[in-house]
Amino acid sequence: MLIHVYHGPNLNRLEQRDAHHYGAVDLKTINHKLRGLAAQLEVDIETRQTNREGELIDWIQQEDKDGLLLNAAAYTHTSVGLRDAIELVDYPVVEVHLSNIYAREEFRHHSLISPVCLGQISGFGAASYLLGLQAVVDHLSA
Amino acid sequence: MLIHVYHGPNLNRLEQRDAHHYGAVDLKTINHKLRGLAAQLEVDIETRQTNREGELIDWIQQEDKDGLLLNAAAYTHTSVGLRDAIELVDYPVVEVHLSNIYAREEFRHHSLISPVCLGQISGFGAASYLLGLQAVVDHLSA
Amino acid sequence: MLIHVYHGPNLNRLEQRDAHHYGAVDLKTINHKLRGLAAQLEVDIETRQTNREGELIDWIQQEDKDGLLLNAAAYTHTSVGLRDAIELVDYPVVEVHLSNIYAREEFRHHSLISPVCLGQISGFGAASYLLGLQAVVDHLSA
Amino acid sequence: MLIHVYHGPNLNRLEQRDAHHYGAVDLKTINHKLRGLAAQLEVDIETRQTNREGELIDWIQQEDKDGLLLNAAAYTHTSVGLRDAIELVDYPVVEVHLSNIYAREEFRHHSLISPVCLGQISGFGAASYLLGLQAVVDHLSA
Amino acid sequence: MLIHVYHGPNLNRLEQRDAHHYGAVDLKTINHKLRGLAAQLEVDIETRQTNREGELIDWIQQEDKDGLLLNAAAYTHTSVGLRDAIELVDYPVVEVHLSNIYAREEFRHHSLISPVCLGQISGFGAASYLLGLQAVVDHLSA
Amino acid sequence: MLIHVYHGPNLNRLEQRDAHHYGAVDLKTINHKLRGLAAQLEVDIETRQTNREGELIDWIQQEDKDGLLLNAAAYTHTSVGLRDAIELVDYPVVEVHLSNIYAREEFRHHSLISPVCLGQISGFGAASYLLGLQAVVDHLSA
Amino acid sequence: MLIHVYHGPNLNRLEQRDAHHYGAVDLKTINHKLRGLAAQLEVDIETRQTNREGELIDWIQQEDKDGLLLNAAAYTHTSVGLRDAIELVDYPVVEVHLSNIYAREEFRHHSLISPVCLGQISGFGAASYLLGLQAVVDHLSA
Amino acid sequence: MLIHVYHGPNLNRLEQRDAHHYGAVDLKTINHKLRGLAAQLEVDIETRQTNREGELIDWIQQEDKDGLLLNAAAYTHTSVGLRDAIELVDYPVVEVHLSNIYAREEFRHHSLISPVCLGQISGFGAASYLLGLQAVVDHLSA
Amino acid sequence: MLIHVYHGPNLNRLEQRDAHHYGAVDLKTINHKLRGLAAQLEVDIETRQTNREGELIDWIQQEDKDGLLLNAAAYTHTSVGLRDAIELVDYPVVEVHLSNIYAREEFRHHSLISPVCLGQISGFGAASYLLGLQAVVDHLSA
Amino acid sequence: MLIHVYHGPNLNRLEQRDAHHYGAVDLKTINHKLRGLAAQLEVDIETRQTNREGELIDWIQQEDKDGLLLNAAAYTHTSVGLRDAIELVDYPVVEVHLSNIYAREEFRHHSLISPVCLGQISGFGAASYLLGLQAVVDHLSA
Amino acid sequence: MLIHVYHGPNLNRLEQRDAHHYGAVDLKTINHKLRGLAAQLEVDIETRQTNREGELIDWIQQEDKDGLLLNAAAYTHTSVGLRDAIELVDYPVVEVHLSNIYAREEFRHHSLISPVCLGQISGFGAASYLLGLQAVVDHLSA
Amino acid sequence: MLIHVYHGPNLNRLEQRDAHHYGAVDLKTINHKLRGLAAQLEVDIETRQTNREGELIDWIQQEDKDGLLLNAAAYTHTSVGLRDAIELVDYPVVEVHLSNIYAREEFRHHSLISPVCLGQISGFGAASYLLGLQAVVDHLSA
């Protein structure tokens, strides 16, 4: 079982972002934790990051994985293209957010991709990803 | 460590609700699975259900637990009282939903309690609760 | 055939309310007229009143009747919980209002429960209930 | 006692419309049922249909009847002219709808004529008309 | 110089309308007063009334007059067709209203035809028409 | 009979404003024409201009006139204070505008004072004032 | 194969309308071009124009054609009745507009009939009709 | 003279709430201060607290007092039922709030009960209650 | 201790305003009552009235008092300038209104100054001022 | 004459998308049909696809073609950049959509690029492109 | 070359305002810096401050200067009168703000005067004025 | 001191854009003028242009400069990603626009990046950039 994890725009500079919203965490650490849990769950994992909307669409379109953990970051709120890409693939997509997007600016309260994802996990910091990996693996194993 | 789980209005008749939104599941089964995971995580658990907003507020106000899993169901979208209750307690509250509330009617897209909860997990059916229990225990253990 | 009739909040003090909106009528008289029509239609009838949203939900969830006449009063406009309860039961629910809610304050123009009821009758004073009883009995006899 | 019944636009082709919203029913059948109930209630009845807003206004303006059953169909949602016509006559007007307009497209949720009608009956299919006739006759007999 | 005066829907039953909004006045009296002023101003005048939107459009399209006084009544607020007709003719159109439409229901506050008329006169009862006739004659004489 | 005419902000520089909206006209000419018509109608007239909202309120509050012609200009759209002042006096106030405010920017479409004025005349350039004077004198003579 | 073409309100005076929006074209020319293309495509064609909403509804309801080209003009934006009529017939309806309605006033941006038409063609002037005829014939031939 | 004081949801845990909004105060202290002022004003007083909307409605409906001080807390913003209850009783109701609700989250800016209360006092912390008691006693003594 | 009381626009003509909203009261009487209470509370008081927004701003900016009672009347709803002035001074400002502004026109429901005032008292007629004086003196004495 | 055809995001996976919205069609087939029609119309054609907003802007900016057929897909609803690019080029752009975007989710009803395109063709599946090619060639040949 | 600088309401008490929004600066210092830069640019400068909307309008109307630097402060967001005054003068007006108005309360995000000013400079504290003076001088010298 | 200048989408074709909005200017000239001013101010400067949102984010994330001048063009109004990138870097960003965005289409009135920039300069054509360079250098030198 192969799970992809895509980190959207600005997550490559996570350590610079406001600790209040994201906790003191960097992407390297998150990926390391994810690989640890993947090993424990006996699944393969691949992590990627991009700041480009189009590149995210390209990656999502590929049916080269069994499931996807997606933190679309800023594109969560503005990208109809991501939504369309998720809608056309057959594998499950789990939406994750480090912060509780409902406790932040109003323009972050609305997710264009939620209605086409399997489910959403937000607000637990790095743990959002770990719960998401658990969720997608459980779903595929059911 | 004692975790409470509160099921809000109409969840006592879950088996009657639309399988499309909730999957073929009943509350007894969910509680049973939760107890299984709790045993595995070595935490105590107590589950309750009520259709009353005021009763939920009463329960939340009690500082007799270390954390709470809350599926406020319909009150998620209408109860300022629940929000105020969650805001005044010190223990962490994790918001869970069986269905993906963002893929349903517009009046279910807005949660009044999200901004004051630790995080939100929605859309995984019964698994939303299990992930939520994991999340709150991880948080308390951190 | 057993029909329940539930009167929502403040209808127990109907005689005190503005005669312009409700006519000079009290709940006792309405219930008396309903029992008269029920006898004539040869159906059993049970009437209840409560000011509690949660109690209304409890009552609606019970599949102990063949049909329901519901005047949810103030909860018509604010209760997602009532809507969910009506949606999960199998018997028909007819929404009735004494006054024409569309000729009153704007916040009374929107009914959360209309989309899940069989139909709506409003504006005929006590006669709204009698027409509603006729409607539900006709529907069940068809 | 003479009651008029006006069917608005497209109701002359009722049998072609979506059975889900209107049931398998045609206007001839509805008129036939109405005449049957009228005979039983010992009132005279006259039924008309038109697709023209202006013609409906002309008809409503005539004080040649004791009461009116009006299914304004599409004009319910767009005609200030119908509203003005109803407001200036002295006889009671009962608004009827075959379908539950609150369970359909958003632009059908708002009725411009409700605030100036005696009351509204919607969602019971052909029975909406029969209940409406009962309602207007009861009102005139009171 | 020939001026037309068109009275829109329900103005033929003006005497039945709420005296508070329109004053105790009927269309015959208004037309009589208009003819008196027209004689005094030495212009020809023709008055018409219809409840039909399409008929109003037909009449407006005719370039058989030097100016128009238009009380579109209910169609003021809903007819894009009237607006388009006024926009394509070359003669001046003066919008008149008996009542102050800004002191009534919100849906009467917006006029679709104002932006394409020469000017608007509202709130003076029958005098609105007389001022309007004066205005259009002054405009044509300038 | 004494009629006051108040010109609001920026009307003292009328000749500088866009000829498209106001025609080639200055305040002196308007006042001159008003005095001519007043003489003809055998009424006294007093004209004033100010750029100050408070000064307009002061002037309106004085019951030293039989009627008022008010072009509140920019304050039409923003001043609750003017509205309150007009509401508390007993003499009739006629609202006039040189341009058709409904054919301009959206923020000029809404008049806060219309609901408390006798009537409104807009779009006829300088003639709006003359029609307004006629209107208020006719009203007072009726 | 018989195709009808209906021109809505004010299209009979097309040559008077703003050349910027519609190009220098009249209805006679459009109908002539349509007949030319129909001959070429070997289909029968019938063209009609009316300013009346009700008449358009009457015409649409008739199942006397294989397809319809409809330029509902002003009624595009206001008529629920047209929408209902289109929804109940079985033949395909193609919505055409001379001008690009999305480049004009905001109230022209929304079409009530688009969701129930086969497709929409707008902005090509007279060519919109020719493309529409091609579209409906292609669709029927497929 | 008997005055009731009702504290709504979560006010029983006041001491836990954010000191910024409510000051360092608990319900016991407020009730104690109220009894002190009542003694001084020579009126009787009874204080109650509940988290239940329905219970508040039950209490308000009772005509067993001369006036009421109501801090409806969260229900201020969501309960049509409270509003209806207040509207049907004859005694005066004074709305009080510890915090300035207009300086907090937007959903707290709107009070459903203000329009049917005698008046509102907000923002003075515990002193809001004391001023409210003074206000209702003054009103009843006038 | 010196308390200022500022009455905003049109309050100088209070006796002319609608008795329904303000009670039969004039400014002289209110000031007289305020001086009486001030004497009793042993504080100095100074009362002023103006119809000018700018003058109110000038007065508020002066740090020549210990507290302020402000009835900004119409400017309550439109003046960002007043809000800015209140925000920059150090002494407490209490907002008072004679009428219950939430029971009146919608544009009076929103106060721009509430968020920067200590608290608000509305709906008690002249007593609003007396309660306000009590409130500010209590606050300063605390 | 050279016509470019640009397919926006996710159209490269067209065959995976919901057959209800797009018909059973893939991009290869559409391009093949377009080349067939181009040959018949004796014009050159070049087709491209990208998921990148910036790449679409780059392509559009090039004045290396006589006309463009653009299906911007998801970017239709979110890209001001595409709009700006279309606005600055001199050749005609025709907007095409496979599905009727007005019969889908609300966020697809609004096109940012319509106002700057020559015209729009939507709802005819693959035929939308063929009609569009016809339209742009006709336009360039006129 | 003579440049005027007008400071709007509350800027005379700048030193009292929140240092977070405006920096630790007073008006005297700003004016001093402006005079320094003016000397350097070899232009004359005159600075004024007022809290009165009407006075600002009076000043702006005077064509006694070559250009204007305007910090309208609170009136930026509410004054149609200022906008009208700016629109009628021929000299360039540069809008300046000390703070970044888009990072503050929502009611400060909209400027009524921006559309009629040459340009806007905001967020640089006292430097906004200096940049503005540079901008207007550069513009006049071009 | 090194300042970067980023030109967003379509600015590479500036000379083609509407001279009314941007003046007769091309990017080469702007960059030339910027280099001239940079030399004068003794700072280093680097200018870049891209049509890609993701590339702008990449560039902004680099802490390889002391300050940034950003004309995000179309992305100003739609990109949450740009906003997030600006928020996470430590150097100051000045937002510049050639045209007065508040005098153009409504969708250009809102800037997503303003709240996280140091300040904004708009409407001065090429001079906006020069003022912006001055602003950022002054800020860094302070």
Side-chain angles (χ1 to χ4, degrees), chain C residues 9-14 16-18 22 49-53 73-75 77-78 104-105 107-108, chain H residues 52-55 57-58 60-63 78-90 112:
Chain C
N10 294 304
L11 290 167
N12 58 326
R13 303 299 293 268
L14 193 54
Q16 284 172 280
R17 298 190 78 167
D18 183 349
Y22 300 99
Q49 192 276 336
T50 180
N51 291 332
R52 319 270 166 127
E53 182 181 10
Y75 293 133
H77 315 295
T78 63
R104 301 181 62 194
E105 302 98 325
F107 64 82
R108 293 193 210 271
Chain H
R52 319 271 165 126
E53 182 181 11
E55 196 160 39
I57 297 174
D58 289 350
I60 293 169
Q61 287 184 347
Q62 302 308 312
E63 299 270 1
T78 63
S79 177
V80 174
L82 278 189
R83 180 192 174 114
D84 285 351
I86 296 169
E87 210 168 13
L88 64 77
V89 294
D90 285 330
L112 270 165

Side-chain angles (χ1 to χ4, degrees), chain J residues 57-132:
Chain J
I57 296 174
D58 289 350
W59 292 348
I60 293 170
Q61 287 185 347
Q62 302 308 312
E63 298 270 1
D64 57 353
K65 55 218 159 233
D66 298 294
L68 174 63
L69 235 65
L70 177 62
N71 182 347
Y75 293 134
T76 303
H77 316 295
T78 63
S79 176
V80 174
L82 278 189
R83 179 193 175 113
D84 285 352
I86 296 170
E87 211 168 13
L88 63 77
V89 295
D90 284 331
Y91 59 79
V93 181
V94 170
E95 179 187 4
V96 296
H97 298 284
L98 292 162
S99 63
N100 183 333
I101 58 177
Y102 305 101
R104 299 182 60 195
E105 301 100 324
E106 181 141 1
F107 65 80
R108 293 192 210 273
H109 293 192
H110 183 247
S111 163
L112 269 166
I113 62 172
S114 282
V116 294
C117 289
L118 178 66
Q120 189 201 58
I121 297 174
S122 65
F124 302 98
S128 289
Y129 282 96
L130 302 177
L131 291 161

Side-chain angles (χ1 to χ4, degrees), chain A residues 10 12-13 51-52 108, chain L residues 58 61 63 81 83-85:
Chain A
N10 296 303
N12 56 328
R13 302 300 291 269
N51 292 330
R52 319 270 166 128
R108 293 194 210 271
Chain L
D58 289 352
Q61 288 185 347
E63 299 269 3
R83 179 194 174 112
D84 285 351

Side-chain angles (χ1 to χ4, degrees), chain E:
Chain E
M1 195 188 292
L2 173 61
I3 307 301
H4 281 201
V5 182
Y6 301 156
H7 308 286
N10 295 304
L11 291 168
N12 58 327
R13 304 298 293 268
L14 193 55
E15 65 283 3
Q16 283 172 279
R17 299 190 78 166
D18 182 350
H20 174 65
H21 286 308
Y22 299 99
V25 70
D26 61 30
L27 204 57
K28 213 167 124 183
T29 308
I30 291 175
N31 286 340
H32 181 79
K33 286 184 180 181
L34 277 168
R35 274 188 297 269
L37 180 60
Q40 196 181 319
L41 297 171
E42 298 185 352
V43 300
D44 291 318
I45 198 171
E46 179 176 332
T47 66
R48 300 181 191 164
Q49 191 276 335
T50 181
N51 292 330
R52 320 270 166 129
E53 181 182 11
E55 197 159 39
L56 273 175
I57 296 174
D58 290 350
W59 291 349
I60 293 169
Q61 288 185 346
Q62 302 309 312
E63 299 269 1
D64 57 353
K65 56 220 158 232
D66 298 293
L68 173 63
L69 236 65
L70 177 62
N71 182 345
Y75 293 133
T76 302
H77 315 295
T78 64
S79 177
V80 174
L82 277 188
R83 178 191 175 115
D84 285 351
I86 295 169
E87 211 168 14
L88 65 78
V89 294
D90 285 330
Y91 59 79
V93 180
V94 171
E95 179 187 4
V96 296
H97 298 284
L98 292 161
S99 63
N100 183 334
I101 59 177
Y102 306 102
R104 300 182 60 194
E105 301 98 325
E106 181 143 359
F107 64 82
R108 291 192 212 273
H109 294 191
H110 182 248
S111 163
L112 270 166
I113 62 173
S114 283
V116 293
C117 287
L118 177 65
Q120 189 200 57
I121 297 172
S122 66
F124 303 98
S128 289
Y129 283 96
L130 301 177
L131 291 162
L133 182 55
Q134 187 76 55
V136 77
V137 170
D138 286 356
H139 179 83
L140 288 166
S141 312

Side-chain angles (χ1 to χ4, degrees), chain K residues 13-77:
Chain K
R13 303 299 292 269
L14 193 53
E15 65 283 3
Q16 283 172 281
R17 298 192 78 167
D18 181 351
H20 175 66
H21 286 309
Y22 299 99
V25 70
D26 61 29
L27 204 56
K28 213 167 123 185
T29 309
I30 291 175
N31 286 339
H32 181 77
K33 286 185 179 180
L34 278 168
R35 274 189 298 267
L37 179 60
Q40 193 180 323
L41 297 171
E42 298 184 352
V43 299
D44 292 316
I45 198 170
E46 178 175 332
T47 66
R48 300 182 191 164
Q49 191 274 336
T50 180
N51 292 330
R52 318 271 166 127
E53 181 181 12
E55 197 160 39
L56 273 175
I57 297 174
D58 289 350
W59 291 350
I60 293 170
Q61 288 184 347
Q62 301 309 312
E63 300 270 0
D64 56 354
K65 56 218 158 235
D66 298 295
L68 174 63
L69 236 65
L70 178 62
N71 182 346
Y75 293 134
T76 302
H77 316 295

Side-chain angles (χ1 to χ4, degrees), chain I residues 41-55:
Chain I
L41 297 171
E42 297 185 352
V43 300
D44 291 317
I45 198 171
E46 178 176 332
T47 67
R48 300 182 191 164
Q49 192 276 333
T50 180
N51 292 330
R52 319 271 166 129
E53 182 181 11
E55 197 160 39

Side-chain angles (χ1 to χ4, degrees), chain F:
Chain F
M1 195 186 293
L2 173 62
I3 307 300
H4 280 201
V5 182
Y6 300 157
H7 307 287
N10 296 303
L11 291 168
N12 57 326
R13 302 299 293 267
L14 194 54
E15 66 285 2
Q16 283 173 280
R17 299 190 77 165
D18 182 350
H20 174 65
H21 287 309
Y22 300 99
V25 70
D26 61 29
L27 204 57
K28 212 167 123 184
T29 308
I30 290 176
N31 286 340
H32 181 78
K33 286 186 180 179
L34 278 167
R35 276 189 295 271
L37 180 59
Q40 196 180 321
L41 296 171
E42 299 184 351
V43 300
D44 291 318
I45 198 171
E46 179 176 331
T47 67
R48 300 181 191 165
Q49 193 276 335
T50 181
N51 292 331
R52 319 272 167 127
E53 182 181 11
E55 196 159 41
L56 272 175
I57 296 174
D58 289 351
W59 291 349
I60 293 169
Q61 288 184 346
Q62 302 308 313
E63 299 270 2
D64 57 353
K65 56 218 159 234
D66 298 294
L68 173 64
L69 236 64
L70 177 64
N71 182 346
Y75 293 133
T76 302
H77 315 295
T78 63
S79 176
V80 174
L82 277 188
R83 179 192 174 114
D84 285 351
I86 295 169
E87 210 168 14
L88 65 77
V89 295
D90 284 330
Y91 58 80
V93 180
V94 170
E95 179 187 4
V96 296
H97 298 284
L98 291 161
S99 63
N100 183 334
I101 59 177
Y102 305 102
R104 300 182 61 194
E105 302 99 324
E106 181 142 0
F107 65 82
R108 291 193 211 273
H109 294 192
H110 182 247
S111 163
L112 270 165
I113 63 173
S114 282
V116 294
C117 288
L118 178 66
Q120 189 200 57
I121 297 173
S122 66
F124 303 99
S128 289
Y129 283 96
L130 302 176
L131 292 161
L133 181 56
Q134 187 76 56
V136 76
V137 170
D138 286 356
H139 179 81
L140 288 167
S141 311

